[in-house]
Amino acid sequence: LPVQSAITHPRPGEAVPAGELTVKGYAWSGGGREVVRVDVSLDGGRTWRVARLAGERSVPGRAWAWALWELQAPV
C-alpha cells in the first residue's frame, strides 16, 4: 500500500514565525510493512525534503503502528 501520512504540527492555517520551523506528523504503510522514509514538500511539490523518523522503531516485518516523523525547515 502507498504510505498514508498527515501533518500534525503546525495546524492548518496556523501562523508561523520566520526562521526555523519543526514540522511533525505521522505515517502508516499498512499490511505490517514498516515506514522507511517520509518525504515532505512545503512548496506545493516543487521540492521535497526527507523527514527524520522519530520515536520507537518497529521490529522489521512487524510494523502495525503509525510512525512519527519530523522535519526542521526554514520558513
Side-chain angles (χ1 to χ4, degrees):
L1 296 172
V3 171
Q4 304 294 313
S5 183
I7 294 173
T8 59
H9 179 80
R11 294 180 183 262
E14 181 178 340
V16 295
E20 196 78 3
L21 172 68
T22 301
V23 181
K24 296 181 180 182
Y26 58 86
W28 180 67
S29 63
R33 294 191 176 92
E34 182 179 17
V35 173
V36 296
R37 179 175 162 161
V38 174
D39 295 327
V40 179
S41 177
L42 301 175
D43 58 10
R46 287 192 309 263
T47 61
W48 295 86
R49 296 172 177 262
V50 178
R52 181 181 72 82
L53 296 176
E56 292 183 27
R57 299 304 304 266
S58 302
V59 175
R62 299 283 187 211
W64 298 101
W66 294 92
L68 302 177
W69 58 264
E70 59 183 46
L71 172 71
Q72 295 289 327
V75 178

